[in-house]
């Protein structure tokens, strides 16, 4: 493992180890066992983040606050409505410190505020309260200090009698100094580079294989004419995480927002896997795909849309995500007994998502029948889809097909640089549409790889470039796959960035050759990805 990655790994390890002398108290999932006579009801205060009652939160010096969600769960349904009040308790934190021979600094109760004044209500016949939000402020806290926060409940119902140790949640909160340097494999530490200007680059990361931090592995070095110095930049303005899908519960007819096991793990440990990326002005979003169950973006009813949006909103807010990317494969709707596709469901879903998440990124992939009618607001139930999204890009990206460059046109007529056609999305400015979606090719597929740079250069030189959005629609990979050792390197610096940038290569049609631009762009490795097996790739998932 290289030094730069070790820096982050050791930092996280230090945070985890500081104050870890006490054993975590793990709470079993499922139905709670009765712990009191049957005439009484037991209960437990729970975090929605994890089943443990000892929770680590890593914040950065410029983070204003952190949000946690808690609920209260009974051992059996309540006979009558139960009301409890959540509070922060410094005395309880001090007792925990003393009991476990720790010296963590107690977080002031003034730094904690609760939604609904901390009221947790369980309706008659129910076992679990609706979650409430606890906001932890960093105001006045010291960087580099580990704090302990204890949350507990004040019981307001005499018939709830529970074990004392199950009435508290303990949070170890560490305020980290924002990392500003990386350590290359050889040489002195360097500043963490800013994002490449005049470009909005989009990456996809599949958490079933990789940590999101793989998006940091590749950068770009810009080399202007001498004697001006070269400069390294980061890429990945938007990082879309997979896999999240649309599932269906036939018995209740609910459309479910389903996070895969690996994506769930990453979100539950967002302080480790996501925050170090977000603090450097990069946006972390979830890519939602159809779940191949016959129901999806294009055939939900109004009730299902409202319910689905509520589920998505809860996840985005709970894990402090930056937005949502919608990617519909319309080939997955042909299932017996399921509603037919229609032209109003998807636009309504997009409108409801924007209303529920007004300050978050909302992007979509334009492909196939799922989005082909978005040019016509009348077909979309009067909704101009482009008025509700931030960006869109075409989804025609394949490692076995030549690179496609698509400029949507009103007629949906033949494209010069693509065999596919798209119409403009109503209400979306052309500067917000990504025309270039870059595949990740096998090292040996030169017949389809080599023409890619020529296509981009010709397209740009003839004035077709209307936006600075460059999309890498195939999932990022390392160098451990046979035949793909150079695939990501070629994808980024071989046939996309140097030709896409305005000051990069253009095309000389007279000589039918490429023409160098003012800036030469080459690969800038921020971290080394070893090519001698998956165990040597520090960005493979580590859970």
């Amino acid at each position: 493992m290289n030094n730069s990655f070790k820096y982050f790994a050791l930092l996280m390890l230090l945070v985890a180890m500081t104050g870890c002398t006490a054993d975590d108290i793990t709470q079993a999932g499922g139905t709670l066992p009765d712990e009191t006579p049957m005439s009484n009801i037991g209960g437990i205060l729970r975090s929605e983040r994890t089943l443990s009652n000892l929770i680590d939160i890593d914040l950065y010096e410029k983070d204003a606050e952190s949000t946690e969600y808690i609920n209260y769960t009974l051992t059996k349904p309540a006979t009558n409505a139960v009301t409890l009040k959540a509070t922060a308790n410094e005395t309880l934190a001090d007792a925990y410190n003393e009991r476990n021979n720790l010296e963590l600094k107690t977080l002031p109760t003034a730094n904690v505020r609760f939604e609904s004044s901390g009221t947790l209500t369980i309706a008659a016949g129910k076992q679990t309260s609706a979650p409430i939000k606890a906001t932890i402020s960093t105001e006045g806290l010291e960087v580099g200090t580990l704090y302990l926060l204890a949350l507990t409940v004040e019981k307001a119902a005499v018939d709830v009698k529970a074990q004392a140790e199950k009435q508290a949640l303990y949070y170890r909160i560490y305020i980290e100094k924002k990392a500003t340097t990386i350590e290359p494999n050889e040489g002195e530490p360097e500043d963490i580079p800013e994002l490449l200007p005049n470009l909005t680059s989009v990456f996809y990361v599949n958490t079933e294989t990789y940590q999101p931090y793989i998006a940091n592995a590749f950068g770009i070095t810009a080399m202007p004419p001498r004697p001006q110095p070269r400069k390294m930049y980061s890429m990945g303005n938007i990082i879309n995480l997979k896999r999240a899908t649309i599932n269906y519960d036939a018995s209740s007819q609910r459309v479910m927002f389903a996070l895969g096991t690996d994506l769930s793990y990453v979100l539950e440990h967002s302080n480790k896997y996501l925050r170090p990326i977000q603090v450097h002005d990069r946006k972390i979003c979830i890519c939602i795909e159809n779940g191949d169950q016959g129901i999806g973006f294009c055939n939900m009813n109004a009730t299902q849309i409202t319910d689905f949006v509520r589920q998505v909103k809860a996840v985005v807010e709970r894990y402090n995500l930056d937005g949502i990317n919608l990617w519909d494969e319309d080939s997955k709707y042909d299932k017996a007994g399921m509603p037919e596709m229609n032209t109003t469901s998807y636009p309504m879903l997009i409108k409801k998502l924007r209303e529920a998440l007004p300050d978050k990124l909302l992007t979509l992939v334009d492909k196939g029948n799922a989005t082909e009618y978005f040019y016509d607001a009348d077909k979309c139930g009067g909704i101009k889809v482009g008025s509700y999204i931030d960006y869109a890009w075409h989804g025609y990206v394949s490692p076995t097909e030549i690179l496609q460059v698509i400029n949507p046109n009103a007629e949906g007529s033949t494209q010069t640089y693509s065999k596919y056609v798209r119409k403009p999305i109503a209400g979306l400015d052309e500067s917000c549409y990504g025309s270039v979606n870059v595949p990740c090719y096998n090292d040996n597929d030169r017949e389809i790889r080599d023409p890619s740079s020529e296509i981009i250069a010709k397209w740009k030189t003839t004035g077709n470039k209307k936006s600075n959005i460059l999309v890498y629609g195939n999932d990022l990979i390392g160098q451990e796959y046979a035949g793909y050792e150079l695939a990501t390197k070629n994808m980024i610096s071989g046939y996309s960035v140097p030709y896409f940038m305005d000051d990069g290569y253009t095309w000389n049609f007279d000589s039918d050759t490429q023409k160098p631009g003012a800036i030469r762009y080459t690969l800038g490795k921020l971290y080394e990805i070893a090519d001698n097996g998956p165990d040597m790739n520090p960005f493979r998932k580590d859970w």
Side-chain angles (χ1 to χ4, degrees):
M1 185 180 297
N2 59 70
N3 291 335
S4 55
F5 188 78
K6 283 181 181 178
Y7 173 82
F8 290 100
L10 290 173
L11 180 59
M12 295 305 176
L13 181 61
L14 174 62
V15 173
M17 291 180 64
T18 306
C20 281
T21 55
D23 293 335
D24 286 6
I25 303 173
T26 303
Q27 302 167 349
T31 303
L32 291 171
D34 285 336
E35 57 203 10
T36 58
M38 290 299 292
S39 60
N40 295 316
I41 300 177
I44 187 169
L45 182 65
R46 277 183 161 164
S47 164
E48 297 250 317
R49 179 193 292 265
T50 176
L51 291 177
S52 173
N53 79 335
L54 183 58
I55 303 142
D56 289 312
I57 299 177
D58 297 328
L59 300 175
Y60 287 83
E61 56 184 329
K62 292 187 179 180
D63 289 341
E65 59 188 32
S66 176
T67 300
E68 295 297 308
Y69 288 84
I70 60 175
N71 67 50
Y72 198 85
T73 301
L74 302 175
T75 56
K76 53 189 176 183
T79 304
N80 302 302
V82 174
T83 301
L84 305 102
K85 182 179 177 62
T87 64
N89 191 310
E90 292 185 24
T91 301
L92 198 61
D94 292 338
Y96 184 93
N97 261 331
E98 183 176 355
R99 184 169 64 252
N100 293 286
N101 296 316
L102 301 175
E103 296 182 355
L104 308 186
K105 193 167 185 176
T106 300
L107 189 91
T109 56
N111 284 65
V112 185
R113 66 180 187 273
F114 294 94
E115 178 184 27
S116 304
S117 300
T119 301
L120 294 156
T121 302
I122 305 173
K126 301 294 184 180
Q127 283 187 255
T128 302
S129 72
I132 64 169
K133 181 167 61 176
T135 302
I136 304 167
S137 168
T138 62
E139 184 176 357
L141 301 186
E142 300 173 2
V143 174
T145 300
L146 190 61
Y147 290 87
L148 180 65
L149 166 67
L151 302 185
T152 188
V153 290
E154 296 175 353
K155 291 188 295 184
V158 296
D159 54 345
V160 176
K161 297 182 179 180
Q163 296 172 358
E165 66 269 20
K166 294 188 177 181
Q167 308 310 295
L169 294 170
Y170 297 96
Y171 291 85
R172 294 181 297 202
I173 301 168
Y174 187 77
I175 314 298
E176 296 185 39
K177 187 174 180 61
K178 179 180 175 181
T180 59
T181 61
I182 58 173
E183 296 180 10
N185 291 343
E186 298 179 0
E188 296 298 321
E190 299 176 358
D191 290 341
I192 291 178
E194 62 182 294
L195 287 160
L196 182 61
N198 303 315
L199 181 72
T200 299
S201 52
V202 181
F203 287 151
Y204 284 84
V205 176
N206 191 340
T207 59
E208 293 174 359
T209 309
Y210 290 103
Q211 302 173 41
Y213 225 77
I214 192 175
N216 275 9
F218 298 94
I220 283 290
T221 298
M223 295 186 290
R226 294 180 179 178
Q228 300 179 67
R230 66 177 62 190
K231 186 173 181 180
M232 184 183 291
Y233 295 96
S234 297
M235 290 185 62
N237 302 67
I238 300 173
I239 301 169
N240 294 314
L241 303 182
K242 300 165 65 175
R243 295 187 67 231
T245 58
I246 297 177
N247 285 0
Y248 183 66
D249 183 345
S251 60
S252 65
Q253 296 187 334
R254 284 191 70 193
V255 177
M256 310 295 293
F257 179 40
L259 298 171
T261 302
D262 295 289
L263 181 54
S264 293
Y265 185 91
V266 167
L267 296 180
E268 289 168 4
H269 298 82
S270 60
N271 290 323
K272 175 181 178 181
Y273 295 109
L274 304 183
R275 290 297 294 137
I277 300 174
Q278 290 173 306
V279 295
H280 291 286
D281 301 322
R282 308 169 85 179
K283 305 300 183 183
I284 300 290
C285 302
I286 289 181
C287 176
I288 307 177
E289 306 169 80
N290 274 345
D292 200 19
Q293 297 188 22
I295 196 161
F297 302 110
C298 295
N299 63 349
M300 292 192 229
N301 61 41
T303 300
Q304 291 169 331
I305 289 172
T306 299
D307 184 23
F308 185 76
V309 168
R310 179 190 59 79
Q311 296 174 60
V312 173
K313 175 182 171 68
V315 170
V316 170
E317 292 184 342
R318 181 166 300 157
Y319 298 110
N320 297 313
L321 297 169
D322 296 301
I324 292 295
N325 174 242
L326 305 172
W327 192 327
D328 195 324
E329 295 287 348
D330 55 26
S331 62
K332 297 183 178 181
Y333 285 97
D334 188 18
K335 298 287 183 180
M338 290 298 181
E340 293 184 357
M341 291 177 64
N342 63 72
T343 64
T344 58
S345 171
Y346 201 175
M348 179 58 69
L349 172 64
I350 290 168
K351 182 174 182 291
K352 293 291 185 182
L353 282 169
R354 169 53 69 216
E355 292 170 347
L357 300 166
D359 300 321
K360 301 294 184 178
L361 275 176
L362 183 56
T363 63
L364 68 84
V365 178
D366 178 25
K367 184 180 181 183
N369 295 330
T371 59
E372 66 89 19
Y373 51 90
F374 282 6
Y375 72 94
D376 190 337
D378 290 336
K379 291 183 179 181
C380 296
I383 296 173
K384 287 187 175 182
V385 171
S387 300
Y388 296 96
I389 61 176
D390 296 285
Y391 303 111
W393 45 81
H394 78 79
Y396 295 96
V397 55
S398 169
T400 60
E401 183 177 71
I402 199 167
L403 184 146
Q404 306 291 311
V405 183
I406 303 175
N407 283 91
N409 59 77
E411 297 77 23
S413 56
T414 302
Q415 296 277 336
T416 303
Y417 302 104
S418 175
K419 64 181 180 181
Y420 303 102
V421 296
R422 307 307 294 169
K423 292 185 177 182
I425 296 173
L428 185 70
D429 191 88
E430 60 185 358
S431 64
C432 297
Y433 189 93
S435 295
V436 181
N437 199 329
V438 184
C440 185
Y441 295 124
N442 185 291
D443 296 346
N444 300 317
D445 290 339
R446 301 185 64 90
E447 310 81 34
I448 59 176
R449 188 189 74 209
D450 289 354
S452 298
S453 58
E454 179 179 329
I455 289 172
I456 296 174
K458 287 181 176 179
W459 166 81
K460 182 185 71 175
T461 304
T462 49
N464 291 294
K465 182 182 176 184
K466 307 299 182 182
S467 81
N468 290 324
I469 302 170
L470 183 60
V471 182
Y472 297 91
N474 290 148
D475 300 340
L476 290 181
I477 61 173
Q479 297 175 234
E480 65 269 29
Y481 299 102
Y484 286 84
E485 290 88 352
L486 301 176
T488 306
K489 172 183 179 295
N490 288 330
M491 178 178 72
I492 294 174
S493 63
Y495 52 85
S496 64
V497 173
Y499 301 88
F500 184 85
M501 298 301 291
D502 290 339
D503 50 9
Y505 287 105
T506 56
W507 195 261
N508 187 330
F509 287 94
D510 292 333
S511 60
D512 201 30
T513 58
Q514 64 186 23
K515 179 182 178 181
I519 304 293
R520 181 187 175 199
Y521 293 94
T522 62
L523 184 71
K525 287 189 177 182
L526 306 184
Y527 302 96
E528 186 68 33
I529 294 185
D531 60 3
N532 52 346
D535 293 338
M536 297 301 293
N537 186 338
F539 301 107
R540 298 283 291 196
K541 69 178 188 180
D542 61 354
W543 54 89

